[in-house]
Amino acid sequence: MIWGMVMSNGLVVTKVIEGHLNSEKYVELLKHFAVPCMNLNYKDYSFVQDNSPVHTAKIVKEFVRKSSLNVLEWPAKSPDINIMENVWKMLSDIVYSGDQPPNIAILKRRISLAVEKINTDKREVILSLYASIRRRLTTVLVSKGNIYKET
């Protein structure tokens, strides 16, 4: 499995996950990879996750709370506004543009090269996706009829 993160500077980072990604592995990934990467690149940031069961697990919510991560609430079933979905498509198009990879080692190498290619050739595309996020999120909120949460 490949886990990926898109940063607001237009760069993509990925991490190979051995086996199935469960909530414990995800917390370890956040703790030892994602959060340090974000802290290295940004003073203040919002972290975005979709509503995958791994992301919403109790242990993950507890880690997020203890780490004081600013996690943006994400509407359910909204892949059309998730920048990472665009990146997965770009990645897939590059990785599978020729013959199918004959083994895992070659697949991993192709993914690594694809990430490099995206970071070099598609960075402006990703930056434009970031530039449109406020408009896309506002459209989603307005289309639901109430942009303010009742308390």
Side-chain angles (χ1 to χ4, degrees):
M1 177 176 190
I2 302 295
W3 174 87
M5 177 170 69
V6 185
M7 297 190 296
S8 62
N9 62 6
L11 294 176
V12 174
V13 292
T14 59
K15 190 93 167 142
V16 173
I17 307 296
E18 298 299 328
H20 181 73
L21 181 64
N22 59 29
S23 55
E24 290 83 10
K25 282 184 183 178
Y26 185 59
V27 166
E28 291 301 307
L29 182 110
L30 291 175
K31 187 185 301 182
H32 300 294
F33 184 73
V35 172
C37 184
M38 296 303 288
N39 287 340
L40 183 63
N41 286 284
Y42 304 101
K43 187 175 184 176
D44 186 33
Y45 59 89
S46 293
F47 193 72
V48 177
Q49 312 176 104
D50 61 19
N51 290 302
S52 160
V54 169
H55 300 161
T56 59
K58 191 176 188 178
I59 186 174
V60 174
K61 287 181 177 181
E62 184 65 17
F63 171 78
V64 165
R65 187 187 64 73
K66 284 182 179 176
S67 301
S68 300
L69 279 176
N70 181 22
V71 177
L72 182 66
E73 276 191 55
W74 202 253
K77 299 178 183 166
S78 56
D80 54 329
I81 59 173
N82 187 341
I83 294 171
M84 194 64 211
E85 295 301 326
N86 300 92
V87 172
W88 288 134
K89 173 72 169 109
M90 288 182 223
L91 194 63
S92 177
D93 288 350
I94 296 167
V95 169
Y96 295 106
S97 65
D99 297 337
Q100 293 294 309
N103 57 52
I104 296 293
I106 292 174
L107 176 60
K108 286 179 182 179
R109 179 73 181 136
R110 283 192 190 176
I111 291 167
S112 177
L113 291 171
V115 169
E116 287 178 29
K117 184 169 181 57
I118 289 168
N119 284 339
T120 302
D121 299 346
K122 303 286 187 178
R123 192 167 180 189
E124 291 302 319
V125 173
I126 294 170
L127 289 170
S128 70
L129 289 168
Y130 262 99
S132 70
I133 194 72
R134 182 181 302 270
R135 176 187 48 79
R136 290 183 290 137
L137 287 172
T138 301
T139 300
V140 168
L141 290 170
V142 169
S143 72
K144 300 253 185 214
N146 183 4
I147 63 171
Y148 298 104
K149 198 179 204 180
E150 301 268 342
T151 55

Short mmCIF file of all heavy atoms in Angstrom, two decimals, residues 52-92:
data_model
loop_
_atom_site.label_atom_id
_atom_site.label_comp_id
_atom_site.label_asym_id
_atom_site.label_seq_id
_atom_site.Cartn_x
_atom_site.Cartn_y
_atom_site.Cartn_z
N SER A 52 -11.86 8.12 5.95
CA SER A 52 -11.51 6.70 5.96
C SER A 52 -11.63 6.19 7.40
O SER A 52 -11.30 6.90 8.35
CB SER A 52 -10.08 6.53 5.47
OG SER A 52 -9.54 5.31 5.88
N PRO A 53 -12.08 4.94 7.58
CA PRO A 53 -12.17 4.40 8.94
C PRO A 53 -10.85 4.48 9.71
O PRO A 53 -10.84 4.71 10.91
CB PRO A 53 -12.59 2.95 8.72
CG PRO A 53 -13.35 2.97 7.43
CD PRO A 53 -12.65 4.02 6.59
N VAL A 54 -9.73 4.34 9.02
CA VAL A 54 -8.43 4.46 9.68
C VAL A 54 -8.24 5.86 10.23
O VAL A 54 -7.74 6.04 11.35
CB VAL A 54 -7.29 4.10 8.69
CG1 VAL A 54 -5.94 4.46 9.26
CG2 VAL A 54 -7.34 2.63 8.34
N HIS A 55 -8.68 6.87 9.49
CA HIS A 55 -8.50 8.27 9.92
C HIS A 55 -9.43 8.64 11.07
O HIS A 55 -9.13 9.57 11.82
CB HIS A 55 -8.76 9.23 8.76
CG HIS A 55 -7.84 9.02 7.60
ND1 HIS A 55 -8.12 9.50 6.35
CD2 HIS A 55 -6.64 8.39 7.49
CE1 HIS A 55 -7.15 9.17 5.52
NE2 HIS A 55 -6.24 8.50 6.20
N THR A 56 -10.54 7.98 11.17
CA THR A 56 -11.54 8.34 12.19
C THR A 56 -11.54 7.40 13.40
O THR A 56 -12.38 7.53 14.28
CB THR A 56 -12.95 8.37 11.56
OG1 THR A 56 -13.25 7.08 11.02
CG2 THR A 56 -13.04 9.42 10.47
N ALA A 57 -10.58 6.49 13.44
CA ALA A 57 -10.50 5.55 14.56
C ALA A 57 -10.20 6.29 15.86
O ALA A 57 -9.56 7.35 15.87
CB ALA A 57 -9.42 4.51 14.28
N LYS A 58 -10.64 5.71 16.94
CA LYS A 58 -10.47 6.31 18.27
C LYS A 58 -9.01 6.62 18.58
O LYS A 58 -8.68 7.70 19.06
CB LYS A 58 -11.06 5.36 19.31
CG LYS A 58 -11.20 5.93 20.67
CD LYS A 58 -11.88 4.91 21.58
CE LYS A 58 -12.23 5.51 22.90
NZ LYS A 58 -12.94 4.56 23.76
N ILE A 59 -8.11 5.68 18.29
CA ILE A 59 -6.68 5.87 18.59
C ILE A 59 -6.10 7.03 17.77
O ILE A 59 -5.25 7.77 18.24
CB ILE A 59 -5.89 4.55 18.34
CG1 ILE A 59 -4.45 4.70 18.78
CG2 ILE A 59 -5.97 4.11 16.89
CD1 ILE A 59 -3.64 3.41 18.69
N VAL A 60 -6.58 7.21 16.55
CA VAL A 60 -6.11 8.31 15.70
C VAL A 60 -6.64 9.63 16.23
O VAL A 60 -5.89 10.61 16.35
CB VAL A 60 -6.53 8.09 14.23
CG1 VAL A 60 -6.17 9.30 13.38
CG2 VAL A 60 -5.88 6.82 13.67
N LYS A 61 -7.92 9.67 16.58
CA LYS A 61 -8.49 10.89 17.15
C LYS A 61 -7.75 11.29 18.42
O LYS A 61 -7.51 12.47 18.66
CB LYS A 61 -9.98 10.71 17.42
CG LYS A 61 -10.82 10.69 16.17
CD LYS A 61 -12.28 10.53 16.51
CE LYS A 61 -13.14 10.59 15.28
NZ LYS A 61 -14.56 10.46 15.58
N GLU A 62 -7.39 10.32 19.23
CA GLU A 62 -6.67 10.60 20.47
C GLU A 62 -5.28 11.16 20.17
O GLU A 62 -4.83 12.12 20.80
CB GLU A 62 -6.56 9.33 21.32
CG GLU A 62 -5.92 9.52 22.65
CD GLU A 62 -6.70 10.43 23.60
OE1 GLU A 62 -7.90 10.68 23.37
OE2 GLU A 62 -6.10 10.89 24.58
N PHE A 63 -4.58 10.57 19.20
CA PHE A 63 -3.27 11.08 18.81
C PHE A 63 -3.38 12.52 18.31
O PHE A 63 -2.58 13.37 18.68
CB PHE A 63 -2.63 10.19 17.73
CG PHE A 63 -1.38 10.80 17.16
CD1 PHE A 63 -0.18 10.75 17.86
CD2 PHE A 63 -1.41 11.46 15.94
CE1 PHE A 63 0.97 11.35 17.35
CE2 PHE A 63 -0.27 12.06 15.42
CZ PHE A 63 0.92 12.00 16.13
N VAL A 64 -4.37 12.78 17.46
CA VAL A 64 -4.58 14.12 16.91
C VAL A 64 -4.83 15.11 18.03
O VAL A 64 -4.27 16.20 18.06
CB VAL A 64 -5.74 14.11 15.89
CG1 VAL A 64 -6.22 15.51 15.57
CG2 VAL A 64 -5.33 13.37 14.62
N ARG A 65 -5.66 14.72 18.99
CA ARG A 65 -5.97 15.60 20.12
C ARG A 65 -4.71 15.89 20.95
O ARG A 65 -4.40 17.04 21.24
CB ARG A 65 -7.05 14.98 21.00
CG ARG A 65 -7.55 15.90 22.11
CD ARG A 65 -8.50 15.21 23.07
NE ARG A 65 -7.88 14.12 23.82
CZ ARG A 65 -7.00 14.27 24.83
NH1 ARG A 65 -6.61 15.48 25.18
NH2 ARG A 65 -6.50 13.23 25.46
N LYS A 66 -3.97 14.84 21.31
CA LYS A 66 -2.77 15.01 22.12
C LYS A 66 -1.68 15.80 21.40
O LYS A 66 -0.90 16.50 22.02
CB LYS A 66 -2.21 13.64 22.52
CG LYS A 66 -2.98 12.97 23.63
CD LYS A 66 -2.34 11.66 24.00
CE LYS A 66 -3.10 10.99 25.12
NZ LYS A 66 -2.53 9.66 25.44
N SER A 67 -1.64 15.67 20.08
CA SER A 67 -0.61 16.36 19.29
C SER A 67 -1.00 17.78 18.93
O SER A 67 -0.22 18.50 18.32
CB SER A 67 -0.35 15.59 17.99
OG SER A 67 0.07 14.29 18.28
N SER A 68 -2.22 18.16 19.28
CA SER A 68 -2.74 19.49 18.96
C SER A 68 -2.68 19.78 17.46
O SER A 68 -2.42 20.91 17.04
CB SER A 68 -2.00 20.58 19.73
OG SER A 68 -2.15 20.38 21.11
N LEU A 69 -2.89 18.75 16.65
CA LEU A 69 -2.92 18.94 15.21
C LEU A 69 -4.21 19.66 14.83
O LEU A 69 -5.28 19.33 15.35
CB LEU A 69 -2.91 17.59 14.48
CG LEU A 69 -1.59 16.89 14.32
CD1 LEU A 69 -1.79 15.53 13.66
CD2 LEU A 69 -0.64 17.74 13.51
N ASN A 70 -4.09 20.61 13.95
CA ASN A 70 -5.25 21.31 13.43
C ASN A 70 -5.76 20.51 12.23
O ASN A 70 -5.20 20.60 11.15
CB ASN A 70 -4.89 22.73 13.03
CG ASN A 70 -6.08 23.49 12.51
OD1 ASN A 70 -7.22 23.16 12.79
ND2 ASN A 70 -5.81 24.53 11.74
N VAL A 71 -6.78 19.68 12.45
CA VAL A 71 -7.32 18.84 11.39
C VAL A 71 -8.60 19.47 10.87
O VAL A 71 -9.54 19.73 11.62
CB VAL A 71 -7.59 17.40 11.88
CG1 VAL A 71 -8.23 16.56 10.79
CG2 VAL A 71 -6.30 16.76 12.37
N LEU A 72 -8.61 19.74 9.59
CA LEU A 72 -9.77 20.33 8.94
C LEU A 72 -10.88 19.30 8.86
O LEU A 72 -10.65 18.17 8.42
CB LEU A 72 -9.38 20.80 7.53
CG LEU A 72 -10.43 21.49 6.70
CD1 LEU A 72 -10.80 22.83 7.32
CD2 LEU A 72 -9.91 21.70 5.28
N GLU A 73 -12.08 19.68 9.31
CA GLU A 73 -13.22 18.77 9.15
C GLU A 73 -13.48 18.57 7.68
O GLU A 73 -13.43 19.51 6.90
CB GLU A 73 -14.47 19.36 9.82
CG GLU A 73 -14.55 19.08 11.28
CD GLU A 73 -15.91 19.42 11.84
OE1 GLU A 73 -16.92 18.92 11.32
OE2 GLU A 73 -15.93 20.22 12.79
N TRP A 74 -13.73 17.35 7.29
CA TRP A 74 -13.90 17.02 5.89
C TRP A 74 -15.27 16.42 5.65
O TRP A 74 -15.66 15.49 6.35
CB TRP A 74 -12.81 16.03 5.47
CG TRP A 74 -12.56 16.05 4.02
CD1 TRP A 74 -12.92 15.10 3.12
CD2 TRP A 74 -11.90 17.06 3.27
NE1 TRP A 74 -12.52 15.46 1.86
CE2 TRP A 74 -11.89 16.68 1.92
CE3 TRP A 74 -11.32 18.28 3.61
CZ2 TRP A 74 -11.33 17.44 0.92
CZ3 TRP A 74 -10.76 19.04 2.61
CH2 TRP A 74 -10.77 18.62 1.29
N PRO A 75 -16.01 16.94 4.69
CA PRO A 75 -17.33 16.37 4.42
C PRO A 75 -17.23 14.93 3.93
O PRO A 75 -16.32 14.59 3.18
CB PRO A 75 -17.91 17.27 3.32
CG PRO A 75 -16.87 18.26 2.97
CD PRO A 75 -15.66 18.04 3.81
N ALA A 76 -18.15 14.10 4.37
CA ALA A 76 -18.17 12.70 3.95
C ALA A 76 -18.41 12.60 2.44
O ALA A 76 -19.08 13.44 1.85
CB ALA A 76 -19.26 11.94 4.70
N LYS A 77 -17.84 11.58 1.86
CA LYS A 77 -18.05 11.25 0.44
C LYS A 77 -17.84 12.46 -0.46
O LYS A 77 -18.69 12.82 -1.26
CB LYS A 77 -19.44 10.66 0.24
CG LYS A 77 -19.61 9.37 1.03
CD LYS A 77 -21.00 8.81 0.87
CE LYS A 77 -21.12 7.57 1.73
NZ LYS A 77 -22.45 7.13 1.93
N SER A 78 -16.67 13.08 -0.34
CA SER A 78 -16.39 14.27 -1.14
C SER A 78 -15.03 14.18 -1.84
O SER A 78 -14.20 15.07 -1.71
CB SER A 78 -16.44 15.51 -0.25
OG SER A 78 -15.54 15.34 0.83
N PRO A 79 -14.80 13.10 -2.60
CA PRO A 79 -13.50 12.97 -3.26
C PRO A 79 -13.24 14.05 -4.30
O PRO A 79 -12.09 14.33 -4.64
CB PRO A 79 -13.58 11.59 -3.91
CG PRO A 79 -15.03 11.33 -4.09
CD PRO A 79 -15.69 12.00 -2.92
N ASP A 80 -14.30 14.68 -4.79
CA ASP A 80 -14.13 15.72 -5.81
C ASP A 80 -13.40 16.95 -5.30
O ASP A 80 -12.88 17.73 -6.09
CB ASP A 80 -15.49 16.10 -6.41
CG ASP A 80 -16.51 16.50 -5.36
OD1 ASP A 80 -16.45 15.97 -4.23
OD2 ASP A 80 -17.37 17.34 -5.67
N ILE A 81 -13.34 17.16 -4.00
CA ILE A 81 -12.62 18.32 -3.47
C ILE A 81 -11.30 17.93 -2.80
O ILE A 81 -10.58 18.78 -2.31
CB ILE A 81 -13.48 19.15 -2.49
CG1 ILE A 81 -13.96 18.32 -1.32
CG2 ILE A 81 -14.64 19.80 -3.22
CD1 ILE A 81 -14.66 19.12 -0.25
N ASN A 82 -10.98 16.65 -2.81
CA ASN A 82 -9.76 16.16 -2.17
C ASN A 82 -8.61 16.20 -3.18
O ASN A 82 -8.60 15.43 -4.14
CB ASN A 82 -9.99 14.74 -1.65
CG ASN A 82 -8.84 14.24 -0.82
OD1 ASN A 82 -7.73 14.75 -0.88
ND2 ASN A 82 -9.10 13.20 -0.06
N ILE A 83 -7.65 17.08 -2.97
CA ILE A 83 -6.52 17.23 -3.87
C ILE A 83 -5.78 15.91 -4.06
O ILE A 83 -5.28 15.60 -5.13
CB ILE A 83 -5.57 18.34 -3.37
CG1 ILE A 83 -6.28 19.69 -3.44
CG2 ILE A 83 -4.27 18.35 -4.16
CD1 ILE A 83 -5.52 20.81 -2.78
N MET A 84 -5.71 15.11 -3.00
CA MET A 84 -4.98 13.84 -3.10
C MET A 84 -5.59 12.93 -4.15
O MET A 84 -4.86 12.15 -4.78
CB MET A 84 -4.94 13.16 -1.73
CG MET A 84 -3.94 12.05 -1.64
SD MET A 84 -2.25 12.66 -1.83
CE MET A 84 -1.47 11.26 -2.59
N GLU A 85 -6.88 13.01 -4.37
CA GLU A 85 -7.51 12.19 -5.41
C GLU A 85 -6.96 12.55 -6.79
O GLU A 85 -6.73 11.67 -7.62
CB GLU A 85 -9.03 12.35 -5.39
CG GLU A 85 -9.69 11.82 -4.13
CD GLU A 85 -9.43 10.34 -3.87
OE1 GLU A 85 -9.32 9.56 -4.83
OE2 GLU A 85 -9.29 9.97 -2.68
N ASN A 86 -6.72 13.83 -7.03
CA ASN A 86 -6.09 14.26 -8.29
C ASN A 86 -4.68 13.70 -8.40
O ASN A 86 -4.25 13.27 -9.48
CB ASN A 86 -6.04 15.78 -8.38
CG ASN A 86 -7.41 16.41 -8.32
OD1 ASN A 86 -7.88 16.76 -7.25
ND2 ASN A 86 -8.06 16.55 -9.46
N VAL A 87 -3.96 13.69 -7.28
CA VAL A 87 -2.59 13.18 -7.29
C VAL A 87 -2.57 11.68 -7.53
O VAL A 87 -1.74 11.17 -8.29
CB VAL A 87 -1.85 13.55 -5.98
CG1 VAL A 87 -0.50 12.87 -5.90
CG2 VAL A 87 -1.70 15.06 -5.87
N TRP A 88 -3.50 10.95 -6.90
CA TRP A 88 -3.55 9.49 -7.14
C TRP A 88 -3.76 9.20 -8.63
O TRP A 88 -3.17 8.29 -9.18
CB TRP A 88 -4.65 8.83 -6.33
CG TRP A 88 -4.40 8.72 -4.85
CD1 TRP A 88 -5.28 9.03 -3.85
CD2 TRP A 88 -3.22 8.27 -4.17
NE1 TRP A 88 -4.70 8.81 -2.62
CE2 TRP A 88 -3.45 8.34 -2.79
CE3 TRP A 88 -1.97 7.83 -4.61
CZ2 TRP A 88 -2.48 7.98 -1.84
CZ3 TRP A 88 -1.01 7.47 -3.67
CH2 TRP A 88 -1.28 7.54 -2.31
N LYS A 89 -4.60 10.00 -9.27
CA LYS A 89 -4.85 9.82 -10.71
C LYS A 89 -3.58 10.09 -11.51
O LYS A 89 -3.22 9.31 -12.41
CB LYS A 89 -6.00 10.75 -11.15
CG LYS A 89 -6.25 10.80 -12.64
CD LYS A 89 -6.89 9.52 -13.15
CE LYS A 89 -7.39 9.69 -14.57
NZ LYS A 89 -6.63 8.99 -15.56
N MET A 90 -2.90 11.19 -11.21
CA MET A 90 -1.64 11.49 -11.90
C MET A 90 -0.63 10.36 -11.71
O MET A 90 0.02 9.92 -12.66
CB MET A 90 -1.03 12.79 -11.36
CG MET A 90 -1.72 14.05 -11.72
SD MET A 90 -0.76 15.43 -11.00
CE MET A 90 -2.09 16.43 -10.37
N LEU A 91 -0.51 9.92 -10.47
CA LEU A 91 0.44 8.86 -10.13
C LEU A 91 0.11 7.58 -10.89
O LEU A 91 0.98 6.96 -11.51
CB LEU A 91 0.39 8.63 -8.61
CG LEU A 91 1.50 7.83 -7.97
CD1 LEU A 91 2.84 8.53 -8.13
CD2 LEU A 91 1.20 7.62 -6.50
N SER A 92 -1.15 7.20 -10.87
CA SER A 92 -1.60 5.99 -11.56
C SER A 92 -1.34 6.07 -13.06
O SER A 92 -0.87 5.10 -13.67
CB SER A 92 -3.09 5.77 -11.28
OG SER A 92 -3.57 4.66 -11.98
#
